[in-house]
Amino acid sequence: MPHIVGRCFEETALHTTRARLTAAGYEEPLLTHTTNLIEISLTLGGIINDAQHDQTSIAVAWRRKMRVQHSGKCMRVFGGSHVDNALIQQAPCSISSNAQRWVAMPLVNNPVGSDPRLVIMNVNSGKCLDRPWGAVADHTVLQQFTCHGNVEQQFRRRPTGQYEAMTANGASNQCLDIAGESLADGATLQMFQCKAANAPSIGNQVFSMVF
C-alpha cells in the first residue's frame, strides 16, 4: 500500500479513485513512491503530458491542496461530491479532507515557448476544474466536470501564482478568484479579470499548491 510521510491511504479509497479515473478515460494511474510524495502519472487519451515534471505541473502529490493567499483557506468540492456540476468553494485547510486534494497536469501540444496549459483535477472525484460552456466572463462560477481537456478546463499559471483561463485564441486575462475577496467559509471560486501583479488586493487570486 502506498505511504506518504508515515500515513497510509486506505486501499478501498485508492481503488475507488482508480475506478473513477478509468471511467473518466484515464489509463491505470502509475504511482511512484518517492522520498516525500507520491506522484501520479496519468494519460488521458493523449491529452495529458506527463513528461513535464515541475512544481507547477504534474509533479504534485496526492495530498496537495490549493490554498488561496488572502484567506489562507483551501479549495474544496462542495460536500465532497463526485458528480458533475458540483461547485468549488473555500474552506479551512484540512489534512483529512479528500475533497481538497488537487493535481495540476500540463497538456500535450502546448505552443512552443508558451506557458503550459494545465488541467486541474480533484483527486477525490477524478473530475476536473471546469468553466461551464468555456465561459470566462466576470463572476462565472467554477465547477467540477468529467475531465476532457478542452478549453473549458484549460488554465495557465502566471509567475504571480494566478491561474488564468485559456481559450482557443490564447490567454483570456481572466483568473481564478474568490468572490468578493471574501474570507468566509463557503465563498465560491469564480472567474474575474486578472489583477495586476502589484495590486494590493491580488491575494484572492493567488493560489499555492501546498501539503
Side-chain angles (χ1 to χ4, degrees):
M1 187 186 303
H3 293 72
I4 290 182
V5 195
R7 295 178 65 91
C8 296
F9 289 111
E10 293 185 4
E11 200 166 14
T12 54
L14 186 58
H15 289 169
T16 300
T17 300
R18 280 200 178 105
R20 291 189 189 117
L21 294 175
T22 301
Y26 290 95
E27 294 180 2
E28 180 74 7
L30 172 63
L31 302 181
T32 306
H33 187 197
T34 63
T35 303
N36 62 354
L37 59 83
I38 293 178
E39 293 180 359
I40 179 171
S41 296
L42 302 169
T43 302
L44 175 55
I47 293 172
I48 301 303
N49 181 0
D50 65 6
Q52 300 180 43
H53 281 224
D54 61 61
Q55 63 180 352
T56 63
S57 57
I58 196 172
V60 291
W62 288 81
R63 292 180 66 201
R64 287 284 173 104
K65 297 179 285 293
M66 270 185 89
R67 185 175 65 197
V68 63
Q69 184 183 87
H70 83 296
S71 68
K73 295 182 178 181
C74 290
M75 299 306 99
R76 71 173 182 189
V77 177
F78 178 72
S81 176
H82 298 143
V83 303
D84 288 346
N85 308 123
L87 301 183
I88 314 302
Q89 55 185 205
Q90 71 176 4
C93 299
S94 170
I95 293 176
S96 62
S97 175
N98 290 334
Q100 291 184 2
R101 294 179 181 171
W102 302 86
V103 56
M105 301 173 290
L107 303 179
V108 297
N109 300 323
N110 278 296
V112 176
S114 68
D115 295 330
R117 291 188 179 216
L118 308 172
V119 292
I120 304 171
M121 186 190 75
N122 185 263
V123 174
N124 183 60
S125 65
K127 295 182 183 290
C128 287
L129 198 61
D130 182 278
R131 308 183 310 275
W133 308 107
V136 295
D138 288 352
H139 308 298
T140 297
V141 176
L142 276 291
Q143 63 179 7
Q144 71 172 6
F145 200 80
T146 301
C147 298
H148 49 65
N150 295 332
V151 290
E152 298 97 308
Q153 298 179 352
Q154 295 178 14
F155 301 87
R156 71 163 182 158
R157 187 181 187 275
R158 290 182 165 193
T160 54
Q162 293 163 290
Y163 283 83
E164 181 179 6
M166 301 299 288
T167 70
N169 297 319
S172 66
N173 197 39
Q174 296 290 112
C175 286
L176 296 182
D177 177 284
I178 297 299
E181 301 176 18
S182 175
L183 300 175
D185 294 350
T188 55
L189 184 66
Q190 64 173 10
M191 299 306 306
F192 205 81
Q193 183 175 2
C194 298
K195 297 178 180 179
N198 61 353
S201 61
I202 194 176
N204 72 316
Q205 293 187 352
V206 175
F207 295 85
S208 300
M209 290 290 193
V210 300
F211 287 103

